[in-house]
Amino acid sequence: MNKRMFGLLAISTALLVTTACSNGGGNGGSGKKIEISFTDVAPSPEREKFFNEIIADFEKENTNIKVKLETVPWDQAFAKLTTQGQSKTMPDVVNVYPAWLTSFVPAGYLEPISTQYDTWDKKDNLTAFIKNVTIEKQQREPYKDVYYIPDAFMGGAMFIRTDWMKEAKLELPKTWDELFNVAEKLTDPSKNRYGYSFRGARGGFDQIFAYIFSVTKGESYEADGTSVLLRPEALAAFKRYTDMYKKSYAPKDSINWGYQEMVQGFTSGVTGMLFQTTEVVATAQASMKDGTWTVIPSPTDADGNTYGGAGASWGYSISKNSKNKEAAWKFIEFLSKPESNNKYSKTMTMIPIMQDSLKDPEFGQGPMKGFIDGLNDPKLIPPADYGKFPELGEFRESIMDAEVQKYLLGTQSAEDTMKHLGDFLTKGQQKFMKDHPDTPVPHAANYKG
Amino acid sequence: MRKNEPYLLLFPSFFLLFIFLAYPLLSSIMYAFQSYKLTAPNDIAFNGIENFKAVLMDNNFPLIMKNTIIWVVLTVGAQFVLGLILALALSRPFPLRNVYQAVVFLPWAVSSFVIGLTFRWFFNTEYGPVNDILLKLGIIHDKIYFLSDPKMALYSVIIAMAWTGIPFFAIMLLAAMQSIPHEIYEAAEMDGAGIISRFWNVTFSYIKQTILITLLLRTIWVFSSAELIYIMTTGGPANSSNTLASYMFMKAFASLNYGQAAAIGLFFMVLLLLFTFVFLRLTKFEKAGNL
């Protein structure tokens, strides 16, 4: 009895050990084929199809590398990647959102790719904005290194229902004032029509800030690091913009709207205007009748400038914990070469990063024209960002929208809302400036001049 | 050798218990006293009771406590009452009872993510069928903003949550009812007991202990359940449908502030221990089974 029990125990322990070993050996030991993982943070059927095709092409060219595609829904992407970064299980190649660098770089989750970028043969073919702004000004200047290669260029523009406009005998809005007027005129609750696709949740504050930038001339901080949200004119702008919700030019439900709902609101005919980025063109083309809508450049400010949100949509980067950094860079190179990038941009209706691709006539016509026109406008000034301090992750994910919602629901005054948000940003930025005296305060500037 | 044998045989289960129970518990207690934010992984350090202070002084805290109480009382109450009615209805044989029983117990087997997504669609203001049906029947004239009205959001989630839990009560109570000897009912009938008296003096007395233990279990589960809230409203708008559990989840996985989340968790555990103690004392649980 006694011996038998020990025998059993010994066998089971031995089994445990051997299975554990064989598991460990199976992944890394076989040696011949390298497997790298790639995570896409904005999955959709079209994107998945595109990436699967690109991966198949890539594997044909690099027979010793296998790419495993993983996805995480956008709303959970930041939290998941941060957790993976912390536990050193981030995928080898990851699609990051530029603003996440404020958290990921100080935490050491990403691998600098400056050397790879500087010796890259396609570097000089990048468009001026990508090279000067996205790579140099937004990465190398504040972080001392390059961390991602942009996937494509995404400009904001206004989607608008031309048939409703005709019915109401209105002109397409060019300025913010005209836009607010149109939002009011298009609203007719009896027909279940509202002027504006208001975004009350999950990134909604970014849309409000896009209008606040028009009164702060694109600046986000004063020279001493005080947030512009504490300026009285920013408060007035905040009230003006949120009036679209408070005066019901947007559906009452839109307080809970994120990206998906606001786009659905427009494409299903509930709202007449939608401020969104290029990739929505594909969705609108698929679900709306031709001739009922169009895309116009973002509204301008009274001084004639447009402080438009424009930048890289996402970027490909390599994680610090990756064991196959060489293979990972090879994959990024493959994704970024003009043929792949052109195909990607066409599928997602975004603007390619390579100069050669822009010559393609397909980008200069139809709804994409509104975006390209906006980008070519010499008066387009990309606004300053919110800063580079790590607390911004928390600000974006759980503070900014909840504060605004309290005002929209009437449980908190606009003054308090702006003060809470402004104080949070000021505290973060000023602490950051003390620790990093060399990094300049975010500043808005035209990339051409 | 012989002397050590019991310890050796006990070791595997204690080892597993340590890994899956003791270690997470101890480390979350540690987190609760640390500044532990994933967004600032280089600044992790002990900070005393800062996390508890931040959580308890939070402006949202009174609202969240109130929501938690409403959430638990209404959900468990509805589940119990409806579950008891269902169990009584199923306790007597009727044709196709087994089939019917399988169907009504189905909600219990559905994943809460599916339930959450389904109810979110039901209650959608623009495209949801609930508003559509009520409007077409002329019961309401304006759309109801189930999930975006701060006065409605919590109750809309409670409806979904109550629906999922009814079968659990029904299964437990039905099992208890079926173990009541039939002779007792016959004897009660002979003594002239009416339907109410039979229910109260026979059925209820016999299943009392099951009721108590089920109520206790459900209260703990409902209290700590966050997934339906997360899926249907993410606690919004502006925290109006957040409970302690969902707020903790948000702190950990949206704000990535593990320190404060762990502090809420610890607070939460103490609350539940207190509740269990008081509940067992008040109901005189150990005597409940003796008639």
Side-chain angles (χ1 to χ4, degrees):
Chain A
M1 180 69 194
N2 209 353
K3 268 184 191 158
R4 236 167 66 195
M5 285 298 252
F6 269 104
L8 263 176
L9 201 76
I11 289 170
S12 49
T13 328
L15 268 175
L16 256 171
V17 172
T18 43
T19 45
C21 278
S22 67
N23 262 343
N27 281 338
S30 54
K32 273 183 225 148
K33 224 170 185 172
I34 304 169
E35 189 180 271
I36 57 169
S37 47
F38 164 58
T39 292
D40 181 32
V41 293
S44 70
E46 298 91 48
R47 286 178 74 90
E48 215 163 315
K49 186 167 160 274
F50 168 81
F51 281 125
N52 279 326
E53 284 169 15
I54 280 286
I55 287 171
D57 291 346
F58 176 74
E59 285 174 351
K60 233 180 268 161
E61 235 175 69
N62 300 276
T63 42
N64 62 331
I65 307 175
K66 209 177 144 11
V67 183
K68 204 172 95 204
L69 174 67
E70 291 161 358
T71 58
V72 51
W74 172 244
D75 285 345
Q76 282 121 52
F78 176 75
K80 176 157 181 191
L81 288 176
T82 313
T83 323
Q84 286 182 326
Q86 179 74 358
S87 56
K88 305 210 184 320
T89 52
M90 243 194 196
D92 301 278
V93 178
V94 56
N95 215 351
V96 298
Y97 184 59
W100 293 345
L101 257 59
T102 58
S103 303
F104 289 0
V105 171
Y109 298 162
L110 299 180
E111 176 76 13
I113 50 171
S114 312
T115 337
Q116 288 95 320
Y117 170 78
D118 288 334
T119 52
W120 188 26
D121 58 344
K122 302 280 187 315
K123 187 178 75 170
D124 292 322
N125 198 0
L126 291 170
T127 54
F129 188 93
I130 295 289
K131 212 171 6 183
N132 302 338
V133 181
T134 351
I135 301 277
E136 299 300 334
K137 195 169 175 321
Q138 295 178 343
Q139 296 188 62
R140 210 189 303 248
E141 200 180 292
Y143 301 114
K144 318 285 172 241
D145 265 310
V146 179
Y147 284 93
Y148 67 85
I149 303 296
D151 65 337
F153 193 83
M154 199 154 71
M158 198 62 75
F159 290 71
I160 191 161
R161 285 291 295 258
T162 42
D163 52 343
W164 294 11
M165 295 291 287
K166 242 177 248 158
E167 255 175 60
K169 296 194 176 61
L170 289 165
E171 301 246 332
L172 291 177
K174 288 195 184 62
T175 64
W176 280 103
D177 288 337
E178 286 169 19
L179 182 129
F180 292 134
N181 180 39
V182 169
E184 182 183 353
K185 296 277 160 58
L186 289 184
T187 301
D188 184 356
S190 67
K191 286 193 201 156
N192 202 23
R193 279 185 183 181
Y194 296 88
Y196 196 70
S197 253
F198 192 89
R199 182 174 187 165
R202 301 196 299 281
F205 184 66
D206 287 336
Q207 300 233 331
I208 301 175
F209 218 141
Y211 175 60
I212 294 178
F213 276 133
S214 80
V215 299
T216 66
K217 308 276 172 239
E219 299 300 346
S220 52
Y221 292 100
E222 318 292 354
D224 67 346
T226 309
S227 168
V228 293
L229 297 181
L230 299 171
R231 287 192 199 170
E233 67 259 36
L235 174 66
F238 173 75
K239 281 188 186 161
R240 182 104 202 264
Y241 186 92
T242 45
D243 266 355
M244 286 202 283
Y245 179 83
K246 289 222 149 191
K247 291 188 177 159
S248 300
Y249 307 154
K252 196 177 166 195
D253 211 29
S254 59
I255 190 165
N256 264 348
W257 283 8
Y259 169 78
Q260 203 132 33
E261 292 88 352
M262 73 187 293
V263 172
Q264 263 169 18
F266 182 75
T267 55
S268 67
V270 177
T271 58
M273 281 189 291
L274 167 77
F275 187 66
Q276 258 305 339
T277 39
T278 40
E279 87 280 9
V280 176
V281 170
T283 320
Q285 273 168 344
S287 52
M288 297 172 77
K289 263 190 241 144
D290 284 347
T292 60
W293 62 284
T294 191
V295 179
I296 55 174
S298 345
T300 58
D301 182 32
D303 64 4
N305 287 333
T306 305
Y307 299 96
S313 35
W314 291 283
Y316 303 115
S317 41
I318 302 177
S319 66
K320 194 80 150 203
N321 60 266
S322 165
K323 289 197 178 63
N324 300 302
K325 288 179 183 135
E326 230 168 281
W329 171 251
K330 252 190 195 158
F331 183 56
I332 295 180
E333 251 186 323
F334 192 87
L335 281 167
S336 310
K337 68 177 190 179
E339 302 87 76
S340 321
N341 189 242
N342 218 353
K343 189 176 163 195
Y344 176 82
S345 308
K346 274 185 194 165
T347 324
M348 314 313 165
T349 51
M350 294 204 243
I351 299 157
I353 58 172
M354 296 290 177
Q355 285 173 20
D356 288 351
S357 311
L358 278 182
K359 289 174 193 147
D360 193 313
E362 213 174 292
F363 290 107
Q365 294 164 356
M368 290 304 282
K369 198 170 174 301
F371 294 100
I372 307 251
D373 285 355
L375 284 179
N376 287 331
D377 185 350
K379 287 188 166 171
L380 173 76
I381 298 178
D385 55 31
Y386 297 0
K388 306 279 182 268
F389 48 93
E391 291 86 357
L392 275 173
E394 190 185 353
F395 180 77
R396 283 180 174 283
E397 296 298 317
S398 59
I399 295 176
M400 61 182 197
D401 296 322
E403 283 294 322
V404 176
Q405 283 181 342
K406 281 185 209 160
Y407 170 63
L408 296 179
L409 292 172
T411 55
Q412 179 169 285
S413 70
E415 286 75 9
D416 283 348
T417 304
M418 291 300 269
K419 194 172 170 340
H420 293 165
L421 295 174
D423 284 349
F424 186 96
L425 292 174
T426 306
K427 206 176 132 207
Q429 175 66 16
Q430 286 182 341
K431 180 170 165 271
F432 181 82
M433 284 163 70
K434 225 162 76 205
D435 300 343
H436 304 80
D438 304 335
T439 310
V441 180
H443 174 58
N446 188 327
Y447 64 93
K448 284 177 184 115
Chain B
M1 206 55 190
R2 213 181 170 113
K3 212 175 71 190
N4 290 331
E5 192 186 305
Y7 299 105
L8 206 65
L9 293 175
L10 281 174
F11 173 75
S13 43
F14 271 83
F15 181 69
L16 288 179
L17 276 178
F18 179 78
I19 290 183
F20 293 109
L21 214 72
Y23 172 71
L25 188 67
L26 290 176
S27 60
S28 69
I29 292 175
M30 293 258 286
Y31 286 166
F33 297 98
Q34 278 173 314
S35 150
Y36 199 117
K37 286 186 193 176
L38 280 199
T39 48
N42 305 326
D43 304 331
I44 293 170
F46 280 98
N47 65 350
I49 55 162
E50 279 305 308
N51 288 330
F52 292 92
K53 256 203 220 150
V55 169
L56 295 174
M57 308 287 277
D58 190 334
N59 285 334
N60 300 315
F61 196 72
L63 174 72
I64 286 161
M65 281 313 287
K66 193 181 114 200
N67 285 347
T68 311
I69 295 169
I70 297 176
W71 165 254
V72 172
V73 170
L74 284 187
T75 310
V76 177
Q79 285 177 350
F80 170 60
V81 172
L82 296 171
L84 182 63
I85 293 173
L86 185 62
L88 285 172
L90 288 173
S91 65
R92 293 224 170 169
F94 57 86
L96 291 177
R97 181 171 74 158
N98 288 340
V99 177
Y100 187 71
Q101 202 166 316
V103 172
V104 293
F105 286 171
L106 212 58
W108 188 241
V110 181
S111 134
S112 48
F113 272 82
V114 176
I115 293 168
L117 290 172
T118 311
F119 272 89
R120 195 170 81 180
W121 171 67
F122 275 169
F123 288 141
N124 185 304
T125 312
E126 305 297 335
Y127 331 102
V130 175
N131 259 318
D132 195 47
I133 291 169
L134 292 178
L135 277 173
K136 282 191 178 140
L137 290 178
I139 296 172
I140 53 169
H141 297 288
D142 291 311
K143 282 178 282 192
I144 301 176
Y145 294 89
F146 289 105
L147 299 175
S148 45
D149 185 336
K151 292 194 193 74
M152 296 283 304
L154 182 65
Y155 300 98
S156 305
V157 188
I158 288 177
I159 292 175
M161 187 67 187
W163 180 79
T164 44
I166 295 169
F168 179 76
F169 268 104
I171 293 168
M172 296 293 283
L173 299 179
L174 189 59
M177 281 178 199
Q178 278 168 347
S179 69
I180 304 172
H182 202 67
E183 297 80 48
I184 298 184
Y185 284 108
E186 279 167 14
E189 215 162 334
M190 296 253 271
D191 289 342
I195 184 158
I196 291 169
S197 154
R198 255 180 298 159
F199 168 75
W200 190 250
N201 291 318
V202 181
T203 314
F204 189 76
S205 311
Y206 261 90
I207 63 172
K208 200 165 148 198
Q209 199 163 19
T210 311
I211 290 178
L212 289 179
I213 192 79
T214 320
L215 273 179
L216 181 65
L217 277 178
R218 271 323 274 172
T219 307
I220 295 172
W221 285 346
V222 169
F223 191 95
S224 50
S225 157
E227 68 270 24
L228 278 186
I229 298 176
Y230 178 73
I231 298 160
M232 289 177 67
T233 64
T234 23
N239 284 318
S240 57
S241 59
N242 249 340
T243 66
L244 212 48
S246 63
Y247 191 60
M248 176 176 75
F249 186 86
M250 249 60 99
K251 273 273 181 230
F253 298 105
S255 312
L256 301 170
N257 191 335
Y258 282 21
Q260 283 189 19
I264 300 175
L266 212 57
F267 175 71
F268 195 117
M269 204 171 78
V270 172
L271 268 189
L272 278 181
L273 282 175
L274 267 177
F275 167 78
T276 310
F277 180 74
V278 172
F279 182 86
L280 293 181
R281 264 298 170 83
L282 281 181
T283 55
K284 302 191 182 70
F285 182 72
E286 63 278 18
K287 288 180 193 152
N290 307 336
L291 295 168

